[in-house]
Amino acid sequence: DIQMTQSPSSLSASVGDRVTITCRARQSIISYLNWYQQKPGKAPKLLIYAASSLQSGVPSRFSGSGSGTDFTLTISSLQPEDFATYYCQQSYSSPITFGQGTRLEIK
Amino acid sequence: EVQLVQSGAEVKKPGESLKISCKGSGYSFTTYWIGWVRQMPGKGLEWMGIIYPGDSDTRYSPSFQGHVTISADKSISTAYLQWSSLKASDTAMYYCVRRTAAAGSGNWFDPWGQGTLVTVSS
């Protein structure tokens, strides 16, 4: 299995801040990396696929980058509705694996 | 609108059997893989397995192989996740997901069903 490690595990930030979450794969997954947002009591929602492609309907303040083993999710200017938990996920090899999640909280 | 609608919450006793469902609409059900993801209380996401409704080709995560069965009925655009003998440790939220793939880009899950909460308690 390919282990995915996110950092930090939790993060406090303010509205308007620029935030970066990192995801590292144990081995190269080229660009087969996706990001999801989950709000409390809700199903996860796809934000970014293939490392840097923005899913339709997702605000442009979200962006993704990286390839190989190191990836980042950036929120350029935090909005109140962005406080949630974020997960990365690799689709390079089976079994599909997720990072442990990054909880983004209001400072 | 592409949608996955799951069956309602279940409360079961250890040893009981259970089958939960996920109905797809708004797209060709037989041409996309449907997967299942577990989320235990307060924990992260775990991929369980996936099925291609067109021919019922099914793949399981080694962590779940032999513990659950994934199936689909393409005539009613519905996928299923079932247990023959539940344990307390099966208590979790279960999500179904549609897998989209693109050459050179991998694959991703979108949309997600609303989730089915399974509680197993004596």
Side-chain angles (χ1 to χ4, degrees):
Chain A
D1 299 11
I2 298 179
Q3 183 177 349
M4 306 298 294
T5 304
Q6 291 181 230
S7 61
S9 294
S10 64
L11 173 61
S12 294
S14 302
V15 172
D17 283 354
R18 179 183 180 89
V19 167
T20 297
I21 298 169
T22 297
C23 179
R24 176 164 289 174
R26 182 181 283 180
Q27 65 183 75
S28 176
I29 57 171
I30 46 178
S31 63
Y32 292 7
L33 189 283
N34 309 311
W35 290 98
Y36 300 87
Q37 175 194 65
Q38 185 178 32
K39 296 182 180 180
K42 299 294 187 181
K45 169 189 167 184
L46 177 68
L47 297 176
I48 302 283
Y49 62 93
S52 60
S53 296
L54 191 67
Q55 172 66 351
S56 176
V58 174
S60 58
R61 62 181 180 273
F62 291 92
S63 64
S65 65
S67 65
T69 60
D70 294 318
F71 301 86
T72 59
L73 172 69
T74 299
I75 310 172
S76 60
S77 178
L78 270 175
Q79 298 302 300
E81 61 268 28
D82 300 337
F83 292 94
T85 299
Y86 294 84
Y87 294 93
C88 63
Q89 173 238 322
Q90 66 83 18
S91 67
Y92 182 75
S93 72
S94 186
I96 300 296
T97 47
F98 292 87
Q100 81 278 16
T102 295
R103 185 175 178 183
L104 179 53
E105 300 174 318
I106 301 173
K107 184 182 286 185
Chain B
E1 180 193 7
V2 175
Q3 229 178 348
L4 298 175
V5 177
Q6 298 183 228
S7 50
E10 302 274 1
V11 179
K12 292 289 190 178
K13 290 182 166 48
E16 291 186 332
S17 62
L18 176 64
K19 191 174 190 177
I20 63 175
S21 67
C22 169
K23 183 173 177 61
S25 62
Y27 73 99
S28 175
F29 187 74
T30 56
T31 59
Y32 286 84
W33 292 79
I34 291 284
W36 290 93
V37 175
R38 183 176 77 173
Q39 187 168 39
M40 299 178 77
K43 301 298 184 183
L45 305 170
E46 301 172 273
W47 178 75
M48 302 176 70
I50 202 159
I51 187 166
Y52 190 73
D55 62 6
S56 292
D57 185 9
T58 308
R59 320 279 171 84
Y60 293 94
S61 165
S63 297
F64 292 92
Q65 177 89 47
H67 298 288
V68 296
T69 301
I70 294 171
S71 60
D73 184 341
K74 61 185 179 182
S75 69
I76 55 171
S77 301
T78 301
Y80 301 97
L81 178 65
Q82 69 181 88
W83 296 259
S84 59
S85 181
L86 286 160
K87 303 175 184 177
S89 57
D90 293 317
T91 295
M93 182 71 81
Y94 294 88
Y95 295 102
C96 63
V97 294
R98 189 187 77 163
R99 192 190 85 164
T100 296
S105 297
N107 56 79
W108 49 91
F109 298 146
D110 181 70
W112 293 57
Q114 83 276 18
T116 296
L117 180 62
V118 174
T119 303
V120 184
S121 175
S122 55

